Amino acid sequence: MSPLDAPRTAAWSGKEVRSARDLAINGAPPMFSQPLHVGRPNIGSHERFLQYARDILERQWLSNNGPLAQQLEREIAQYLGVQHCIAMCNGTIALEIAIRALGLKGEVIVPSYTFVATAHALQWQEITPIFADIDPVTHNLDPDAVRRMITPRTTGILGVHLWGRAAPVEPLQAIADEHGLALMFDASHGFACSFGGRLIGGFGRCEAFSFHATKFFNSFEGGAVVTNDDALAEKMRLMRNFGFAGYDNVIYPGTNGKITEIAAAMGLTNLAQLDEFVAANRANYQTYSRELTDVPGLRLLAYDTRERNNFQYVVVEVDEQFPASRDRIVEVLHAENILARKYFWPGCHNMQPYRAYYPHAGLMLPNTIAVADRVVVLPTGSSMDSAHVRGVSQVLRALSRGSLAA
Ligand code: T4K
């Protein structure tokens, strides 16, 4: 079954919101019978996946660099146009292994406006994440802010391609070169997205992807580091498997970062249908764009039409022209079974242990704080269609009439 034929779980009630009494938060039935999620998995052909699963059971090879894991690595490397893909059990371990293989220590500069795993992957290894501010328009690291955070203890920069829009790759590379720092990227949002016409994956020393269930491309849980550096790739392969270089021969300290065969099967299944997932996301994005274009106080994050994007995240910024606060919007939407998210509020610097370690970090992060306070991420994905998007948009449009906002 194609993902686009999959049963729609969240039926639109057909409700029209004309007055405050029509809102679920005021006791009316919700807009949708089931929750609409940010991060509902895109799932490819069930039949293809089940065939892979049957093969795995027949072969009795379940993990440890099995044939499907190797095939997934080959297909991803080819798709991204990179030399090496080292598949991992999740995106966080992919980050941790890449960070360790690069020999980062001391301090590493990261954005605070990201999923907390980016910072945790450093902290877990007793490396201090130093939070640099973002550009309020791109939501990505501001190169000038990065410069300001460099100290004699800095060993690297960990950029994030937030929302699948590339971090400022060239200025960051220039800063890294100038100061002798390693540059790597958290590309968890960036699968099938491009910068300068090149797919994300080949920038910096290496890039780490997440293939978590909620990501545009998933392998249940999973991830990968991709690189064009042969020696780095070899090191990461060893680290992923306890440092084993053959039977009974450990030549490196390592961990268990291996991807299972069943996860690789899901990855291969979904890799074959990436274009369909992008098309579904793009269609939803375009419908949101049409529906919300003239709503004062709401601004849909734009994607550069010259680049490829996976349109995984439908990001709306709420400003003071809108009669309801961002938090009120989220509350109203949740009551309607529309599980919008406040990603990545309140910023890593406001989460533990960072908040306790650096209580004044926010002084250097005005744009991070402002953006985190005004963003709401709306549901999308291949289990949603234009009727769902119109239902979500209808609630937002109704709220924009001040009388319903209170
Ligand atoms: N770096 C960045 C920039 C990242 O965004 C992430 C992950 C990472 C690193 C780390 O990669 P991994 O180690 O996770 O591979 C979710 C995901 O758990 C997380 O992977 C993701 N970023 C982050 C942005 O979102 P939560 O806590 O917001 O997810 P959760 O459990 O609320 O799920 C979101 C929605 O998806 C829910 O409403 C339900 C729905 N859902 C979820 C799952 C797992 C489903 O419908 N089916 C499912 O199987 O973090």
Side-chain angles (χ1 to χ4, degrees), residues 37-41 91-92 115 186 188-189 210 212 215 341 343:
H37 296 282
V38 173
R40 195 75 167 157
T92 305
F115 188 62
D186 177 341
S188 293
H189 300 180
S210 163
H212 182 254
K215 290 289 179 282
R341 300 296 296 263
Y343 288 146

Side-chain angles (χ1 to χ4, degrees), residues 87-100 117 121 124-125 208-209 222-225 239-240 255-258:
M88 307 273 184
C89 55
N90 62 57
T92 305
I93 289 285
L95 281 168
E96 285 177 14
I97 289 182
I99 287 163
R100 191 173 277 262
W124 196 251
Q125 309 189 61
F209 289 99
V225 186
M239 285 181 161
R240 174 183 67 174
T255 184
N256 183 351
K258 290 167 283 150

